[in-house]
Amino acid sequence: MVGIYLSGTGNTRHCIELLMSLVSPGSEAIPIEDPEAIPIIRENDEIYLAYPTQFSNMPFMVRDFINKHNNIWSGKKVFLLTTMGLFSGDGTGCAARLLKKYGADILGGLQVIMPDSISDCKLLKKPVEECSRIVRDANKRIAGVALSISSGRYPQEGLGFFAHMAGLFGQRLWFYNKTTGYRKKIKVSDACIGCGQCVKNCPMNNLSIADGKALSAGKCAMCYRCVSICPKQAITVLGDKVYAQCRFDKYV
Ligand SMILES: Cc1cc2nc3c(=O)[nH]c(=O)nc-3n(C[C@H](O)[C@H](O)[C@H](O)COP(=O)(O)O)c2cc1C
């Protein structure tokens, strides 16, 4: 058993690592951008795939990964874990349907509420104490789910018809275009000092430094990792101003 995950601000990484440590102590979870991800999936029959929900959908980077390597899923048993700020409808269902098309067996799905990762939208920001409480609640849920998985009962969150309708009508009909490709524009303000933290951490290798400033090559996965770590809060994606950098390590 192995875990593969995309995580921008650390929420999903925490959840998948916790779940795996409880279900199968000693098993590893590796990031989707790791070149070892493909050979490791090939070697394992049971895959736990985790990602943050984006507009009740999977991030394009995850869709792209599944499609590009469509020949590795046949016969795999896949459990899906998604994290979300509030509402995802069928966050897990989106990947489940695609993986089934490529021959995977879906064991189940778990959708966990975590702090919102969008740092440049004031409306979504919650105080650190509230985020910490959300993380504690998530930890308890994951512990409960791990117990039931260990006795062979997999949750089926986000996989049914009603969840599909909720995701579709609640968000995807209106925001689908945001997740059908990589984002061309991320905004870098004059506050950028060209330190290269964003370049080092981008899972898409989308950023470089040109003329002392971060520059995007147009392949942003909207994970918000760069936004969350920039020491000058100089990067934005959906909004125009960073209100509070969202990072899992702030909440524990
Ligand atoms: C571009 C974008 C879109 C998002 N859309 C949703 C959404 O539709 N529903 C939701 O509940 N959370 C949404 N979120 C919040 C994230 O899914 C959530 O904070 C997640 O835990 C982040 O995980 P990470 O830290 O592993 O990246 C969105 C976040 C981003 C960056």
Side-chain angles (χ1 to χ4, degrees), residues 32-209:
I32 197 170
E33 65 268 27
D34 189 321
E36 285 303 304
I38 303 298
I40 286 180
I41 292 175
R42 284 191 201 282
E43 278 163 23
N44 283 272
D45 290 336
E46 203 169 315
I47 316 293
Y48 278 40
L49 177 64
Y51 56 85
T53 305
Q54 290 184 353
F55 304 103
S56 289
N57 208 339
M58 69 185 122
F60 186 72
M61 185 178 173
V62 175
R63 180 180 298 279
D64 198 26
F65 178 86
I66 296 173
N67 279 329
K68 237 185 216 163
H69 308 289
N70 56 42
N71 59 353
I72 61 178
W73 302 107
S74 182
K76 301 287 179 196
K77 292 185 178 12
V78 182
F79 182 78
L80 292 152
L81 184 159
T82 59
T83 61
M84 57 184 165
L86 186 65
F87 163 81
S88 78
D90 57 342
T92 56
C94 295
R97 292 190 290 277
L98 187 60
L99 288 164
K100 270 190 208 164
K101 195 174 110 183
Y102 295 132
D105 279 337
I106 305 301
L107 293 170
L110 171 65
Q111 304 187 145
V112 184
I113 293 185
M114 287 292 277
D116 206 294
S117 58
I118 303 182
S119 318
D120 49 6
C121 173
K122 199 173 181 181
L123 208 72
L124 295 171
K125 294 286 67 61
K126 296 189 183 94
V128 171
E129 302 73 52
E130 197 179 335
C131 292
S132 303
R133 185 193 49 74
I134 292 171
V135 170
R136 286 196 298 275
D137 288 351
N139 289 346
K140 277 189 216 146
R141 268 204 78 209
I142 291 170
V145 167
L147 270 180
S148 75
I149 289 181
S150 300
S151 57
R153 281 175 291 118
Y154 291 87
Q156 300 293 320
E157 293 172 13
L159 300 176
F161 174 76
F162 290 109
H164 191 167
M165 291 302 112
L168 183 63
F169 290 105
Q171 294 221 70
R172 275 198 305 287
L173 269 186
W174 330 111
F175 300 118
Y176 187 65
N177 64 333
K178 291 195 189 282
T179 51
T180 50
Y182 295 109
R183 203 171 176 83
K184 298 255 176 306
K185 259 197 217 157
I186 66 174
K187 289 149 277 177
V188 182
S189 79
D190 290 341
C192 174
I193 52 169
C195 70
Q197 279 301 316
C198 55
V199 177
K200 256 190 258 161
N201 284 283
C202 174
M204 285 298 302
N205 292 321
N206 174 49
L207 296 162
S208 58
I209 301 293

